[in-house]
């Protein structure tokens, strides 16, 4: 199973496979054609409250990860996680985010969960 995380602003690559945008909001200044997004499951994104809490610097990345994983256990999100996992079993999946540090973002948490 191949799941990777990339910035949505990076140019698409053939190895990307299915490109899944995992941000709640569409990335600024990026056209839909340039992004080449195949899926946009907004219910997989962290809640507004969790995003604000984390970006306010109130908690560690580890605590953010724990809270986000708890949100992903909710029925609607869990169903979408399984859908993305099924896509990854069939071929490569790239989780796209506009986060400046994708390796410390919700996309990285989701990628670990999908591969686990």
């Amino acid at each position: 199973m191949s799941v990777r995380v990339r910035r949505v602003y990076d140019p698409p690559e053939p190895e990307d496979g299915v490109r899944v945008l995992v941000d709640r909001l569409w990335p600024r200044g990026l056209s839909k054609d340039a992004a080449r997004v195949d899926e946009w499951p907004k219910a997989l994104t962290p809640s507004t409250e969790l995003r604000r809490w984390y970006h306010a610097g109130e908690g560690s990345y580890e605590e953010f990860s724990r809270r986000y994983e708890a949100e992903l256990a909710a029925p609607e999100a869990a169903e979408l996680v399984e859908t993305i996992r099924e896509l990854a079993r069939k071929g490569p999946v790239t989780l796209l985010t506009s986060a400046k540090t994708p390796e410390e973002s919700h996309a990285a948490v989701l990628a670990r969960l999908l591969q686990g």
Side-chain angles (χ1 to χ4, degrees):
M1 182 179 327
S2 172
V3 177
R4 69 181 188 160
V5 176
R6 296 187 64 218
R7 290 199 74 218
V8 69
Y9 298 108
D10 295 338
E13 295 178 351
E15 305 83 41
D16 286 348
V18 178
R19 293 170 53 87
V20 181
L21 179 63
V22 293
D23 289 349
R24 188 165 303 265
L25 302 175
W26 187 263
R28 278 191 181 165
L30 189 64
S31 72
K32 293 194 183 208
D33 283 344
R36 285 203 20 236
V37 169
D38 299 307
E39 303 284 338
W40 189 15
K42 294 177 190 172
L44 274 182
T45 64
S47 66
T48 301
E49 297 79 21
L50 182 57
R51 269 194 346 265
R52 286 182 180 157
W53 172 83
Y54 182 56
H55 293 297
E58 296 178 21
S60 67
Y61 179 69
E62 291 74 23
E63 179 63 21
F64 167 78
S65 297
R66 282 192 291 279
R67 291 182 183 195
Y68 180 44
E69 284 181 24
E71 288 185 356
L72 291 172
E76 183 181 4
E79 187 176 315
L80 288 169
V81 167
E82 192 53 38
T83 299
I84 302 301
R85 192 175 279 130
E86 283 299 317
L87 287 173
R89 286 185 183 119
K90 296 174 185 172
V93 169
T94 299
L95 304 178
L96 302 169
T97 181
S98 60
K100 291 180 183 168
T101 54
E103 63 280 356
E104 288 188 1
S105 72
H106 65 286
V109 175
L110 181 57
R112 282 194 305 273
L113 184 67
L114 287 166
Q115 294 175 334

